Amino acid sequence: MAVNLDKEACYRRLQRLYGSWKKGEDEFGKVDAIVVSVGVDEEIVYAKSTALQTWLFGYELTDTIMVFCDTKILFLASKKKVEFLKQVAVTKGNEGANGVPPITLLTREKNESNKANFDKMMEAIKGSREGKTVGVFSKDKFPGEYMKSWNDTITAEGLEKVDISAVVAYTMAVKEDGELALMKKAAAITSEVYSKFFKERVMEIVDADEKVRHSKLAEAVEKAIEEKKFLGGADPSTVEMCYPPIIQSGGNYSLKFSVVSDKNHMHFGAITCAMGIRYKSYCSNLVRTLMVDPPQDMQDNYNFLLQVEEELLKELKHGAKISDAYNSVVEYVKKEKPELASKLTKNLGFAMGIEFREGSLVLNAKNQYKLKRGMVLSISLGFSELLNKEGKKDEQKKYALFLGDSIQINEDEAATVLTPVKKKIKNVGIFLKNDDEDDDEEEADDAEELLGKGARGAALLTDRTRNEMTAEEKRRAHQKELADQVNEEAKRRLTEQKGEQQIQKARKSNVSYKGVSQMPREKDIRDMKIFIDKKYETVIMPVFGIATPFHIATIKNISMSVEGDYTYLRINFYVPGSSLGRHEGNIFPNPDATFVKEITYRASNLKTPGDPAVPSTNLQNAFRIIKEVQKRYKTREAEEKEKEGIVKQDSLVINLNRSNPKLKDLYIRPNIAQKRMQGSLEAHTNGFRFTSVRGDKVDILYNNIKHSIFQPCDGEMIIVLHFHLKNAIMFGKKRHTDVQFYTEVGEITTDLGKHQHMHDRDDLYAEQMEREMRHKLKSAFKNFIEKVETLTKEELEFEVPFRDLGFQGAPYRSTCLLQPTSSSLVNVTEWPPFVVTLDEVELVHFERVQFHLKNFDVVIVYKDYNKKVTMINAVPVNSLDPIKEWLNSCDIKYTEGVQSLNWTKIMKTIVDDPEGFFEQGGWSFLDPEGEGSGGEEDSESEMEDETFNPSADEEEEEGEDSDEDYDSETEDSEYSASLGSEEESGKDWDELEEEARKADRESNYEETEDTTSTRKRKVRPVARPPSKKKRRH
């Protein structure tokens, strides 16, 4: 079979099962052998037998019998399944090598009796310990003759059956890191579906006053998991519901997970929703209660329920007894609100894993099991049969509150919540009325009774226009919260970093000779000629009759010219005050010493009698050799500089297994050599190795990968695996933080003359071939990725860019499609690639956002203020709203402005004086919508001007003028932005008209328009008269 089995995990888990059995605790001490038989029953979703198979092998194996004896293991299965299980069967001479007993595989016969195989298994059971009792899962009863004949055989042999469901469940309850990663992913998907689909849909239903049945809404949730946008990049084929979503409202509540959503219409009161999503066989669960216009009593009870959950999370720790944790919570409820103790749910949750509900690990008063680190629980607690004193109709009088999360048990601290969906009253309450409307409530109720639905619909519509926020308003409210967070976090971060001064690296002092003995004894030196010592990279020049050595590093440049009968050689040196190049810095070990800035030598072009050569030959040779030595030195220095700061990587651990995940015929970017070469990418124990056809090797370790991105070939000419690294690696004599492997899926360039003398190309056939090729490559890459994720136990996870959220932009020279992934913004199809980690982003600023411009620029500011900001130019203006929506959903602060700013100076100002920057409002200076025209806005404008003033000694008047200019711009933009808003403050239209007329008369401007056309005149670029302009003091 092509399906792979994780052998290491299988052996590890078998060892854990045998370890628990050998300890002999509880039922394990009563059994001599363990029998697990799985038949075929499509109706059974969760069974301990199939869960154990999934835990050991990663798959369910129907019609398979497993017998675990003291010294051997037997599997009876069909031929195909035996082929699959051969991967873990221990070969002769290798018994016990993996810490598990030898495994024997028996192939099931086609007839139903299988007597010979059954006899072998019975013989093994009787030879195991005392051979009298077998451990079984008594609740698992599979239909069919095959299972019946096996069970009859056990009964006929007189073997006693002992139910070991609870002890096996306890063994499986502690999750490994790979299992925890899958459960965290499942919990994240559940949270996404709840937040982005269910909650939004309920709000739409309430807004539109729709009549929707609970069962229909539950079906809609089930359909939503088929859409990728709600799955956080997961493959829909790996995602399924743990149980049909349970939605309840209108007085009929049952706070259990065994009920189904009824066909009653949703009532706008307390709406409970329970949903759980299963990802790659591992479950998660989430329970929330949404409340429409909750009365104060309901809000108080809900807030208390939150406190009870917090109390439960504190109790659930490693080593705690389940019954003790339950009793502590019940005592807390009795102490704080005794009237609610009888209404609390009978249990507070259960352990969860491959099976949704583990019946032997339920959080109740009787359970004596202890919690262990690594267990995952679904906690669910609620109050039922609560009375609403304000309710008038039957469905309003009773309500229930239900709350639940998936949690992970920790060593000493409180349990970690894996479903971080906000649950405070402001997040789950849907408020339709204003406080100032409370007086009219009774009248509104009477009107509703008299007029029926129409009045309610109209009231809701009116209310919505006043109180329900539009998407833009929601974004603004969220951005306002983020603005405060950004400033606070940045201030704290910079305070922590204070004092960690970066040590500026002194320029390496190059010494030519450590002593006189190393000086060459050449004839040219004695003859006072220029001599180049290639060994020590030194130029020895005659200065005042003394041979003086200068290292090649001290020479800035040289030039040679011929004027008349003489040749001139001019040598310029590096000195303090001269630039050393862009990246070298102007640092000398001893800047107070005396330096030679330049030397010029002159030699005759005429040969004098008796001289063996023309004197100028020495200068010409010196010029040529100095250039050569300088070039060699600079090349070596560049290579050393590339190696500087390279973090030494661990060695790649080669896995000699031939079944390693492997992709062939890939190209690597950047190229190893000048010409691009094909090669293969293979995944090993702790990293990837790319081997080119020439034999070049490039190793990338898993722990050095920051982002691994899979760019499918949909709409692209190449299919790419891109790795953005934490620390740069060296190959091809350069350092690289981005490495990608790709293959072409279509002809990037078409040779127009290729088919000139051949048969005509059939375009339809060619397109079909290309489609097939794309599908084939996509499948191969996906298969490779899945194998790698399994190999790394989900530690390395490939992100797929969301093409739907992509936008055009030019981060470098050319325009490309930039696409978000779950944790970054990328373009990996063009070279150089563009990768920005969202966690490192402080804020995003949009520049040149103006109505008459077709595009704008995006500036990304990082949390590390010493890092250069990233610019993305020429983004189409129609992408502005989608980008804002995306950034808002990622909790990233954004601002916009009409001007382009000098970010180098801004960042330098912030780094030089962070305290001053945050005292003056921090990043709020970028917001066009300040807190009004008060002092805060003034300080922001001042900050902006300080940032842009090249000199601090400018005259005060000039500073004031520039402030005014900036002020007027911001005021104008605010003024135009606020037109039409109901809360507009300031001058009315008549006053503005009068001001405009005065300004026109002063500038000898003839009015050509009628005075009534106020709408046209308001956008005329005439500034307010200077006399009215606000002066800053």
Side-chain angles (χ1 to χ4, degrees), residues 881-923:
D881 263 1
I883 294 172
K884 283 182 178 178
E885 190 61 49
W886 165 62
L887 289 172
N888 197 52
S889 69
C890 296
D891 289 342
I892 293 174
K893 169 72 182 154
Y894 64 77
T895 54
E896 62 180 82
V898 294
Q899 293 176 324
S900 293
L901 305 178
N902 186 336
W903 285 97
T904 313
K905 285 187 178 177
I906 291 174
M907 299 315 290
K908 189 176 185 304
T909 309
I910 296 169
V911 172
D912 289 349
D913 182 18
E915 287 88 352
F917 172 69
F918 288 109
E919 277 170 19
Q920 293 182 345
W923 289 110

Short mmCIF file of all heavy atoms in Angstrom, two decimals, residues 881-923:
data_model
loop_
_atom_site.label_atom_id
_atom_site.label_comp_id
_atom_site.label_asym_id
_atom_site.label_seq_id
_atom_site.Cartn_x
_atom_site.Cartn_y
_atom_site.Cartn_z
N ASP A 881 -9.75 49.09 0.94
CA ASP A 881 -10.70 48.54 1.92
C ASP A 881 -10.42 47.08 2.27
O ASP A 881 -10.40 46.72 3.45
CB ASP A 881 -12.14 48.69 1.39
CG ASP A 881 -12.79 49.94 1.97
OD1 ASP A 881 -12.10 50.65 2.73
OD2 ASP A 881 -13.96 50.22 1.67
N PRO A 882 -10.20 46.20 1.26
CA PRO A 882 -9.85 44.82 1.61
C PRO A 882 -8.59 44.71 2.47
O PRO A 882 -8.53 43.90 3.39
CB PRO A 882 -9.63 44.15 0.25
CG PRO A 882 -10.39 44.97 -0.73
CD PRO A 882 -10.37 46.36 -0.20
N ILE A 883 -7.58 45.55 2.20
CA ILE A 883 -6.35 45.52 3.00
C ILE A 883 -6.65 45.95 4.43
O ILE A 883 -6.19 45.33 5.39
CB ILE A 883 -5.24 46.41 2.38
CG1 ILE A 883 -4.81 45.85 1.02
CG2 ILE A 883 -4.03 46.50 3.30
CD1 ILE A 883 -3.86 46.76 0.25
N LYS A 884 -7.47 47.00 4.57
CA LYS A 884 -7.84 47.46 5.92
C LYS A 884 -8.56 46.36 6.68
O LYS A 884 -8.29 46.11 7.86
CB LYS A 884 -8.75 48.69 5.82
CG LYS A 884 -8.03 49.99 5.49
CD LYS A 884 -9.03 51.12 5.47
CE LYS A 884 -8.37 52.46 5.18
NZ LYS A 884 -9.36 53.55 5.12
N GLU A 885 -9.50 45.70 5.99
CA GLU A 885 -10.28 44.62 6.61
C GLU A 885 -9.36 43.49 7.08
O GLU A 885 -9.49 42.97 8.19
CB GLU A 885 -11.30 44.10 5.60
CG GLU A 885 -12.34 43.16 6.18
CD GLU A 885 -13.19 43.80 7.26
OE1 GLU A 885 -13.71 44.92 7.06
OE2 GLU A 885 -13.29 43.17 8.33
N TRP A 886 -8.41 43.15 6.21
CA TRP A 886 -7.48 42.06 6.54
C TRP A 886 -6.59 42.44 7.73
O TRP A 886 -6.42 41.67 8.68
CB TRP A 886 -6.62 41.72 5.31
CG TRP A 886 -5.42 40.90 5.62
CD1 TRP A 886 -5.39 39.65 6.15
CD2 TRP A 886 -4.04 41.29 5.48
NE1 TRP A 886 -4.09 39.23 6.33
CE2 TRP A 886 -3.25 40.22 5.92
CE3 TRP A 886 -3.41 42.43 4.98
CZ2 TRP A 886 -1.86 40.27 5.91
CZ3 TRP A 886 -2.02 42.48 4.96
CH2 TRP A 886 -1.27 41.41 5.42
N LEU A 887 -6.02 43.66 7.70
CA LEU A 887 -5.15 44.10 8.80
C LEU A 887 -5.92 44.16 10.11
O LEU A 887 -5.43 43.78 11.16
CB LEU A 887 -4.54 45.48 8.48
CG LEU A 887 -3.48 45.51 7.38
CD1 LEU A 887 -3.13 46.95 7.04
CD2 LEU A 887 -2.23 44.76 7.78
N ASN A 888 -7.16 44.64 10.02
CA ASN A 888 -8.00 44.74 11.21
C ASN A 888 -8.26 43.36 11.81
O ASN A 888 -8.22 43.18 13.03
CB ASN A 888 -9.32 45.42 10.85
CG ASN A 888 -10.05 45.92 12.07
OD1 ASN A 888 -9.49 46.63 12.90
ND2 ASN A 888 -11.30 45.53 12.21
N SER A 889 -8.50 42.37 10.93
CA SER A 889 -8.76 41.01 11.42
C SER A 889 -7.50 40.40 12.04
O SER A 889 -7.58 39.50 12.85
CB SER A 889 -9.26 40.12 10.28
OG SER A 889 -8.23 39.90 9.35
N CYS A 890 -6.32 40.90 11.62
CA CYS A 890 -5.06 40.40 12.19
C CYS A 890 -4.61 41.21 13.41
O CYS A 890 -3.50 41.03 13.90
CB CYS A 890 -3.95 40.46 11.13
SG CYS A 890 -4.24 39.41 9.72
N ASP A 891 -5.46 42.13 13.87
CA ASP A 891 -5.14 43.00 15.02
C ASP A 891 -3.88 43.82 14.77
O ASP A 891 -3.03 43.96 15.65
CB ASP A 891 -4.96 42.17 16.30
CG ASP A 891 -6.29 41.63 16.80
OD1 ASP A 891 -7.33 42.16 16.37
OD2 ASP A 891 -6.30 40.68 17.59
N ILE A 892 -3.77 44.35 13.55
CA ILE A 892 -2.63 45.22 13.23
C ILE A 892 -3.16 46.64 13.02
O ILE A 892 -4.10 46.86 12.26
CB ILE A 892 -1.89 44.74 11.96
CG1 ILE A 892 -1.22 43.38 12.23
CG2 ILE A 892 -0.85 45.75 11.50
CD1 ILE A 892 -0.59 42.74 11.02
N LYS A 893 -2.56 47.57 13.71
CA LYS A 893 -2.96 48.98 13.62
C LYS A 893 -2.58 49.53 12.26
O LYS A 893 -1.48 49.28 11.76
CB LYS A 893 -2.24 49.75 14.74
CG LYS A 893 -2.32 51.27 14.65
CD LYS A 893 -3.68 51.80 14.99
CE LYS A 893 -3.75 53.33 14.84
NZ LYS A 893 -5.10 53.80 14.56
N TYR A 894 -3.49 50.29 11.64
CA TYR A 894 -3.15 50.97 10.38
C TYR A 894 -3.57 52.43 10.45
O TYR A 894 -4.49 52.79 11.19
CB TYR A 894 -3.79 50.27 9.18
CG TYR A 894 -5.30 50.29 9.15
CD1 TYR A 894 -6.01 51.43 8.77
CD2 TYR A 894 -6.03 49.16 9.52
CE1 TYR A 894 -7.38 51.45 8.76
CE2 TYR A 894 -7.42 49.18 9.51
CZ TYR A 894 -8.09 50.32 9.13
OH TYR A 894 -9.45 50.37 9.12
N THR A 895 -2.87 53.26 9.70
CA THR A 895 -3.20 54.68 9.60
C THR A 895 -3.10 55.08 8.14
O THR A 895 -2.54 54.34 7.33
CB THR A 895 -2.22 55.54 10.43
OG1 THR A 895 -0.88 55.22 10.01
CG2 THR A 895 -2.34 55.27 11.92
N GLU A 896 -3.62 56.26 7.80
CA GLU A 896 -3.48 56.72 6.41
C GLU A 896 -3.25 58.22 6.38
O GLU A 896 -3.62 58.95 7.30
CB GLU A 896 -4.71 56.33 5.59
CG GLU A 896 -6.01 56.94 6.05
CD GLU A 896 -7.17 56.50 5.16
OE1 GLU A 896 -7.70 55.40 5.36
OE2 GLU A 896 -7.53 57.29 4.27
N GLY A 897 -2.62 58.68 5.32
CA GLY A 897 -2.35 60.11 5.15
C GLY A 897 -2.21 60.44 3.68
O GLY A 897 -2.08 59.56 2.83
N VAL A 898 -2.24 61.75 3.38
CA VAL A 898 -2.18 62.17 1.97
C VAL A 898 -0.75 62.39 1.51
O VAL A 898 -0.49 62.46 0.31
CB VAL A 898 -3.00 63.45 1.75
CG1 VAL A 898 -4.48 63.19 1.97
CG2 VAL A 898 -2.54 64.58 2.67
N GLN A 899 0.19 62.52 2.45
CA GLN A 899 1.57 62.85 2.07
C GLN A 899 2.48 61.64 2.15
O GLN A 899 2.19 60.66 2.82
CB GLN A 899 2.12 63.92 3.03
CG GLN A 899 1.43 65.26 2.90
CD GLN A 899 1.95 66.24 3.94
OE1 GLN A 899 2.25 65.83 5.06
NE2 GLN A 899 2.07 67.49 3.57
N SER A 900 3.63 61.77 1.47
CA SER A 900 4.71 60.79 1.65
C SER A 900 5.63 61.34 2.73
O SER A 900 6.00 62.51 2.70
CB SER A 900 5.50 60.62 0.34
OG SER A 900 4.68 60.02 -0.62
N LEU A 901 5.99 60.49 3.68
CA LEU A 901 6.80 60.94 4.82
C LEU A 901 8.24 60.49 4.68
O LEU A 901 8.54 59.51 3.98
CB LEU A 901 6.22 60.38 6.12
CG LEU A 901 4.73 60.69 6.37
CD1 LEU A 901 4.28 60.04 7.66
CD2 LEU A 901 4.49 62.19 6.44
N ASN A 902 9.13 61.20 5.37
CA ASN A 902 10.55 60.84 5.37
C ASN A 902 10.78 59.87 6.54
O ASN A 902 11.05 60.27 7.67
CB ASN A 902 11.40 62.10 5.54
CG ASN A 902 12.88 61.80 5.41
OD1 ASN A 902 13.31 60.67 5.62
ND2 ASN A 902 13.64 62.80 5.05
N TRP A 903 10.65 58.58 6.24
CA TRP A 903 10.67 57.58 7.31
C TRP A 903 12.04 57.41 7.96
O TRP A 903 12.12 57.06 9.13
CB TRP A 903 10.15 56.25 6.78
CG TRP A 903 8.67 56.30 6.62
CD1 TRP A 903 7.96 56.56 5.50
CD2 TRP A 903 7.71 56.16 7.67
NE1 TRP A 903 6.61 56.57 5.76
CE2 TRP A 903 6.43 56.34 7.09
CE3 TRP A 903 7.79 55.91 9.04
CZ2 TRP A 903 5.26 56.26 7.82
CZ3 TRP A 903 6.63 55.83 9.77
CH2 TRP A 903 5.38 56.01 9.17
N THR A 904 13.10 57.67 7.21
CA THR A 904 14.44 57.55 7.80
C THR A 904 14.57 58.52 8.96
O THR A 904 15.03 58.16 10.06
CB THR A 904 15.51 57.85 6.73
OG1 THR A 904 15.18 57.12 5.55
CG2 THR A 904 16.89 57.47 7.21
N LYS A 905 14.12 59.76 8.75
CA LYS A 905 14.22 60.77 9.82
C LYS A 905 13.26 60.48 10.96
O LYS A 905 13.59 60.66 12.13
CB LYS A 905 13.94 62.15 9.24
CG LYS A 905 15.10 62.70 8.41
CD LYS A 905 14.86 64.13 8.00
CE LYS A 905 16.06 64.69 7.23
NZ LYS A 905 15.82 66.05 6.75
N ILE A 906 12.05 60.02 10.61
CA ILE A 906 11.06 59.71 11.65
C ILE A 906 11.61 58.63 12.58
O ILE A 906 11.59 58.78 13.80
CB ILE A 906 9.73 59.25 11.01
CG1 ILE A 906 9.04 60.42 10.30
CG2 ILE A 906 8.79 58.66 12.07
CD1 ILE A 906 7.80 60.04 9.53
N MET A 907 12.12 57.54 11.99
CA MET A 907 12.61 56.43 12.80
C MET A 907 13.82 56.85 13.63
O MET A 907 13.99 56.42 14.78
CB MET A 907 12.95 55.21 11.93
CG MET A 907 11.79 54.63 11.14
SD MET A 907 10.26 54.45 12.06
CE MET A 907 10.68 53.13 13.18
N LYS A 908 14.70 57.69 13.05
CA LYS A 908 15.88 58.17 13.78
C LYS A 908 15.44 59.00 14.99
O LYS A 908 15.96 58.86 16.09
CB LYS A 908 16.77 58.99 12.85
CG LYS A 908 18.12 59.34 13.48
CD LYS A 908 19.00 60.08 12.49
CE LYS A 908 20.40 60.34 13.07
NZ LYS A 908 20.38 61.06 14.34
N THR A 909 14.43 59.85 14.78
CA THR A 909 13.91 60.68 15.87
C THR A 909 13.37 59.81 17.01
O THR A 909 13.62 60.06 18.18
CB THR A 909 12.78 61.59 15.35
OG1 THR A 909 13.24 62.28 14.21
CG2 THR A 909 12.33 62.57 16.40
N ILE A 910 12.64 58.76 16.63
CA ILE A 910 12.04 57.88 17.64
C ILE A 910 13.13 57.14 18.42
O ILE A 910 13.11 57.09 19.65
CB ILE A 910 11.08 56.86 16.98
CG1 ILE A 910 9.91 57.59 16.33
CG2 ILE A 910 10.57 55.86 18.01
CD1 ILE A 910 9.07 56.72 15.43
N VAL A 911 14.10 56.60 17.70
CA VAL A 911 15.16 55.82 18.35
C VAL A 911 16.00 56.71 19.25
O VAL A 911 16.41 56.31 20.34
CB VAL A 911 16.04 55.12 17.28
CG1 VAL A 911 17.25 54.46 17.91
CG2 VAL A 911 15.22 54.06 16.54
N ASP A 912 16.25 57.96 18.80
CA ASP A 912 17.08 58.89 19.61
C ASP A 912 16.38 59.31 20.90
O ASP A 912 17.02 59.46 21.93
CB ASP A 912 17.42 60.14 18.78
CG ASP A 912 18.42 59.82 17.67
OD1 ASP A 912 18.97 58.69 17.71
OD2 ASP A 912 18.63 60.65 16.78
N ASP A 913 15.06 59.52 20.85
CA ASP A 913 14.35 59.98 22.04
C ASP A 913 12.99 59.31 22.15
O ASP A 913 11.94 59.91 21.88
CB ASP A 913 14.18 61.52 21.96
CG ASP A 913 13.49 62.07 23.20
OD1 ASP A 913 13.47 61.36 24.23
OD2 ASP A 913 12.96 63.20 23.14
N PRO A 914 12.96 58.01 22.53
CA PRO A 914 11.67 57.30 22.58
C PRO A 914 10.71 57.88 23.62
O PRO A 914 9.52 57.96 23.38
CB PRO A 914 12.06 55.86 22.93
CG PRO A 914 13.47 55.90 23.41
CD PRO A 914 14.10 57.13 22.82
N GLU A 915 11.26 58.32 24.78
CA GLU A 915 10.38 58.86 25.82
C GLU A 915 9.64 60.10 25.32
O GLU A 915 8.43 60.23 25.46
CB GLU A 915 11.16 59.22 27.09
CG GLU A 915 11.64 58.03 27.89
CD GLU A 915 13.00 57.54 27.43
OE1 GLU A 915 13.49 58.04 26.38
OE2 GLU A 915 13.56 56.63 28.08
N GLY A 916 10.41 61.00 24.68
CA GLY A 916 9.81 62.23 24.13
C GLY A 916 8.76 61.92 23.09
O GLY A 916 7.70 62.54 23.04
N PHE A 917 9.03 60.91 22.27
CA PHE A 917 8.10 60.54 21.20
C PHE A 917 6.77 60.09 21.78
O PHE A 917 5.70 60.51 21.34
CB PHE A 917 8.74 59.42 20.36
CG PHE A 917 7.81 58.81 19.34
CD1 PHE A 917 7.39 59.54 18.23
CD2 PHE A 917 7.34 57.51 19.49
CE1 PHE A 917 6.54 58.97 17.29
CE2 PHE A 917 6.49 56.94 18.56
CZ PHE A 917 6.09 57.68 17.45
N PHE A 918 6.81 59.23 22.82
CA PHE A 918 5.56 58.72 23.37
C PHE A 918 4.87 59.73 24.28
O PHE A 918 3.66 59.68 24.44
CB PHE A 918 5.81 57.39 24.10
CG PHE A 918 6.09 56.26 23.15
CD1 PHE A 918 7.36 55.72 23.04
CD2 PHE A 918 5.10 55.79 22.32
CE1 PHE A 918 7.61 54.71 22.14
CE2 PHE A 918 5.33 54.77 21.42
CZ PHE A 918 6.60 54.24 21.32
N GLU A 919 5.65 60.66 24.85
CA GLU A 919 5.01 61.73 25.63
C GLU A 919 4.16 62.62 24.73
O GLU A 919 3.14 63.15 25.13
CB GLU A 919 6.08 62.58 26.33
CG GLU A 919 6.56 61.97 27.64
CD GLU A 919 7.79 62.68 28.19
OE1 GLU A 919 8.04 63.83 27.77
OE2 GLU A 919 8.50 62.09 29.02
N GLN A 920 4.60 62.79 23.48
CA GLN A 920 3.87 63.65 22.54
C GLN A 920 2.79 62.89 21.77
O GLN A 920 2.31 63.35 20.74
CB GLN A 920 4.86 64.27 21.55
CG GLN A 920 5.82 65.25 22.20
CD GLN A 920 6.75 65.89 21.18
OE1 GLN A 920 6.86 65.42 20.07
NE2 GLN A 920 7.40 66.96 21.58
N GLY A 921 2.42 61.74 22.29
CA GLY A 921 1.29 61.03 21.67
C GLY A 921 1.69 59.80 20.89
O GLY A 921 0.83 59.08 20.39
N GLY A 922 2.99 59.53 20.73
CA GLY A 922 3.44 58.33 20.01
C GLY A 922 2.96 58.30 18.57
O GLY A 922 3.00 59.32 17.87
N TRP A 923 2.45 57.15 18.16
CA TRP A 923 2.08 56.96 16.75
C TRP A 923 0.80 57.68 16.36
O TRP A 923 0.41 57.67 15.20
CB TRP A 923 1.94 55.46 16.46
CG TRP A 923 3.24 54.76 16.45
CD1 TRP A 923 3.69 53.86 17.37
CD2 TRP A 923 4.29 54.89 15.48
NE1 TRP A 923 4.95 53.43 17.05
CE2 TRP A 923 5.34 54.04 15.88
CE3 TRP A 923 4.46 55.63 14.31
CZ2 TRP A 923 6.53 53.92 15.17
CZ3 TRP A 923 5.64 55.52 13.60
CH2 TRP A 923 6.65 54.68 14.03
#
